[in-house]
Amino acid sequence: MIIGLEHYLFISAILFSLGLFGVLTRRNAVSILMGIELILNAANLNFVAFSRFVTIGISGQLFAVFVIILAAAEAAVALAIILALYQNIKSVSVDEADAMKG
Amino acid sequence: MEGIIYKIVFYLFAVLTVGSALVVVTSRNIVHSAFALLFTFFGVAGLYVFLSADFLAATQVLIYVGGILVLILFGVMLTRKVFDVKIFSGAGQVFPAAVGVAVIFFLLATVIVKTPWHLVGERAMEPTTAEIGKLLMTDFLLPFEVASVVLLAALVGAVILIRKEVRPPKVD
């Protein structure tokens, strides 16, 4: 069987599902961030695979470049928030960040 | 013969990516998760090479492995009590999450198998860096500039978020 579009889409779907599972089940904020990175990688893999097999140009790859840029910005801000959370409640467990819970 | 080696290497990268992603979400030790994430990123970079996206593969290694993963490791080490935190939610949350994720995965798999994709013919592998550079300076100039502003905003925002407020002593 020739390696085609579906192979990459399946890998991407598995990565997305695992990332979503991590985001839903982890309670450590840094672990949740790792799940989000997995999801972004899955989306990027899809962009590049479609750009290779379905379209003529390489604009899909450019879109992946922008996703990587935003992932970097998001990781920096998310870690700043996690550090601020740690300074305030001395914990990185998202279950304990419930100060605004009614 | 060449095709077989191609397939073996492809499946090697696929298993590396998926297997280490599995470790990322199931490991109880967060440092193990972070290092498994390293292998996931490398596996995805390898898959980019198979998709003839050489510039993206290099970018993946530089930014994800060199930047984001180091940031995450800093986050792990700066939050001191990180090893004491119970890392998983209770079983009452894990089971519904697993069911929901399984449903989503089967939905995606059905879409992938059932959709008649309109494929264009196989293209030869060629370097993409020059092409990406040209597109960034022509068709994608506005998104490129907006991305630079976003990065600046993220930089300033991150510093503002974690700075300590130091008041100068009052002068009578």
Side-chain angles (χ1 to χ4, degrees):
Chain A
M1 192 175 166
I2 299 166
I3 291 172
L5 178 64
E6 284 88 351
H7 290 73
Y8 294 99
L9 294 187
F10 261 110
I11 295 172
S12 166
I14 295 171
L15 271 187
F16 175 80
S17 306
L18 285 175
L20 192 62
F21 183 74
V23 171
L24 288 175
T25 56
R26 294 289 176 131
R27 57 169 57 163
N28 187 327
V30 181
S31 294
I32 293 176
L33 191 64
M34 292 182 195
I36 294 173
E37 298 297 342
L38 282 186
I39 292 177
L40 286 171
N41 264 286
N44 259 353
L45 198 56
N46 259 3
F47 274 128
V48 181
F50 280 122
S51 147
R52 166 105 177 125
F53 289 105
V54 179
T55 62
I56 304 290
I58 60 163
S59 42
Q61 292 190 23
L62 269 162
F63 222 98
V65 170
F66 286 117
V67 172
I68 290 179
I69 292 172
L70 287 182
E74 170 253 333
V77 173
L79 281 162
I81 291 174
I82 291 171
L83 285 186
L85 185 73
Y86 181 71
Q87 284 171 5
N88 279 320
I89 66 170
K90 298 282 170 256
S91 165
V92 288
S93 166
V94 288
D95 286 354
E96 287 170 42
D98 54 1
M100 288 176 77
K101 206 171 179 178
Chain B
M1 186 63 201
E2 230 174 68
I4 294 174
I5 294 174
Y6 181 89
K7 273 181 200 165
I8 290 173
V9 177
F10 173 82
Y11 282 113
L12 215 65
F13 273 112
V15 168
L16 175 74
T17 308
V18 172
S20 51
L22 201 66
V23 175
V24 170
V25 292
T26 54
S27 167
R28 296 200 159 271
N29 186 332
I30 189 167
V31 179
H32 291 178
S33 289
F35 279 101
L37 198 62
L38 172 82
F39 290 104
T40 310
F41 289 157
F42 268 121
V44 174
L47 292 177
Y48 286 161
V49 173
F50 274 94
L51 289 164
S52 77
D54 52 348
F55 177 75
L56 260 180
T59 313
Q60 170 91 3
V61 172
L62 279 178
I63 294 187
Y64 267 109
V65 179
I68 293 177
L69 198 68
V70 171
L71 263 182
I72 287 177
L73 278 175
F74 261 114
V76 169
M77 299 192 178
L78 285 176
T79 50
R80 192 165 37 89
K81 282 189 302 184
V82 85
F83 299 103
D84 307 337
V85 176
K86 268 179 68 187
I87 203 159
F88 282 108
S89 319
Q93 281 175 35
V94 171
F95 183 67
V99 172
V101 167
V103 168
I104 288 176
F105 176 72
F106 279 110
L107 208 69
L108 285 174
T110 318
V111 169
I112 291 169
V113 173
K114 289 271 166 72
T115 310
W117 303 104
H118 297 287
L119 302 180
V120 296
E122 189 78 0
R123 278 173 295 159
M125 288 207 180
E126 48 193 23
T128 56
T129 314
E131 188 68 20
I132 285 177
K134 270 181 211 151
L135 280 174
L136 272 182
M137 280 296 125
T138 53
D139 290 357
F140 290 82
L141 185 57
L142 180 64
F144 181 67
E145 295 293 337
V146 172
S148 65
V149 175
V150 167
L151 280 179
L152 179 67
L155 195 71
V156 176
V159 171
I160 295 271
L161 275 173
I162 57 165
R163 89 200 145 130
K164 282 215 172 66
E165 213 153 314
V166 181
R167 297 245 166 83
K170 272 192 182 139
V171 185
D172 291 323

